[in-house]
Amino acid sequence: SAVISQKPSRDICQRGTSLTIQCQVDSQVTMMFWYRQQPGQSLTLIATANQGSEATYESGFVIDKFPISRPNLTFSTLTVSNMSPEDSSIYLCSVEGGIRRYTEAFFGQGTRLTVV
Amino acid sequence: QKEVEQNSGPLSVPEGAIASLNCTYSDRGSQSFFWYRQYSGKSPELIMFIYSNGDKEDGRFTAQLNKASQYVSLLIRDSQPSDSATYLCAVNINRDNFNKFYFGSGTKLNVKP
């Protein structure tokens, strides 16, 4: 299994500012995923980050709001830009891993963001 | 249409009973299916995966898959208070040349002592 470290674990931010969340994996992985989990809700996939190419965003998410970097095979960042209270959520980094034909998703501990 | 649909619950069962959790999925291209458990304030953790029709048992947990009906279920036998959590159903779908994981809204399970 992959060990995923996210920073910061939590933050309180002013509206209109931006926050960059870092995700570090202890092994090289091809794909990294960013999810959002709003209070009481399930995980919603924001984007898929592949090293060396632009991230692929899901419907309802755009690069200007959630720019993603993927400089190497063990690291990625997600920026939440021009924040509003509606962006208050837990943001989770995930990687695909496993030795079997069918892999599973592993998660970091998440970043709890509160926008005031 | 959401990729995965679940009843949000809460589902309450007495200790020792069988808890039955269900989900349906919309994309017939879904390749594999997962049940994650998420305790409040924690990240999801995998408890079962299944990719063939039928049942798969692991300890007190049994996952069931019916691809014709696009239906996945999780049975928890001899439920314990420590099983109280939100259970997320997930599917793995190849889209945009990537294997992506999509999650249901989760079913909250309460096991009463």
Side-chain angles (χ1 to χ4, degrees):
Chain A
S1 64
V3 176
I4 304 169
S5 301
Q6 262 185 257
K7 294 195 293 188
S9 59
R10 59 177 63 229
D11 208 341
I12 300 174
C13 300
Q14 296 291 324
R15 69 177 65 199
T17 63
S18 298
L19 176 72
T20 295
I21 303 167
Q22 299 180 3
C23 178
Q24 179 75 52
V25 188
D26 69 342
S27 58
Q28 293 185 340
V29 294
T30 304
M31 307 306 305
M32 296 180 78
F33 306 91
W34 287 98
Y35 288 86
R36 179 174 72 184
Q37 189 170 31
Q38 294 178 307
Q41 304 297 314
S42 188
L43 289 81
T44 301
L45 182 62
I46 298 171
T48 303
N50 189 13
Q51 194 268 335
S53 63
E54 279 198 1
T56 301
Y57 289 83
E58 298 294 303
S59 175
F61 297 95
V62 295
I63 188 171
D64 290 345
K65 176 67 176 177
F66 297 101
I68 289 171
S69 78
R70 182 78 203 276
N72 57 52
L73 291 173
T74 63
F75 187 79
S76 178
T77 67
L78 170 76
T79 299
V80 186
S81 303
N82 188 25
M83 289 183 285
S84 66
E86 291 71 34
D87 294 320
S88 297
S89 186
I90 298 173
Y91 292 85
L92 289 145
C93 171
S94 173
V95 302
E96 180 187 19
I99 59 174
R100 295 173 291 262
R101 175 184 174 188
Y102 296 94
T103 57
E104 62 186 89
F106 297 93
F107 290 90
Q109 73 273 32
T111 297
R112 184 179 294 271
L113 170 63
T114 302
V115 183
V116 296
Chain B
Q1 185 178 11
K2 290 185 178 180
E3 285 81 1
V4 183
E5 298 276 5
Q6 284 183 262
N7 187 324
S8 61
L11 173 66
S12 292
V13 300
E15 183 174 357
I18 296 175
S20 178
L21 306 164
N22 307 306
C23 89
T24 58
Y25 61 94
S26 60
D27 191 329
R28 288 192 176 273
S30 302
Q31 300 171 333
S32 45
F33 309 86
F34 306 83
W35 284 100
Y36 282 79
R37 178 175 60 199
Q38 186 175 28
Y39 292 111
S40 180
K42 301 294 185 182
S43 295
E45 56 177 338
L46 181 71
I47 53 173
M48 289 285 290
F49 73 93
I50 187 168
Y51 48 80
S52 299
N53 273 328
D55 296 0
K56 179 182 178 183
E57 187 174 319
D58 184 0
R60 296 187 295 113
F61 299 96
T62 298
Q64 299 173 317
L65 172 62
N66 184 325
K67 289 188 176 181
S69 301
Q70 296 176 240
Y71 178 88
V72 192
S73 66
L74 178 70
L75 300 177
I76 306 175
R77 290 180 299 281
D78 188 23
S79 296
Q80 302 297 309
S82 59
D83 294 327
S84 297
T86 297
Y87 289 79
L88 304 171
C89 177
V91 301
N92 184 239
I93 304 172
N94 189 284
R95 280 189 186 165
D96 305 318
N97 293 318
F98 302 134
N99 282 331
K100 300 183 180 183
F101 294 85
Y102 294 93
F103 288 80
S105 57
T107 298
K108 188 170 184 179
L109 173 65
N110 293 325
V111 180
K112 299 181 178 180

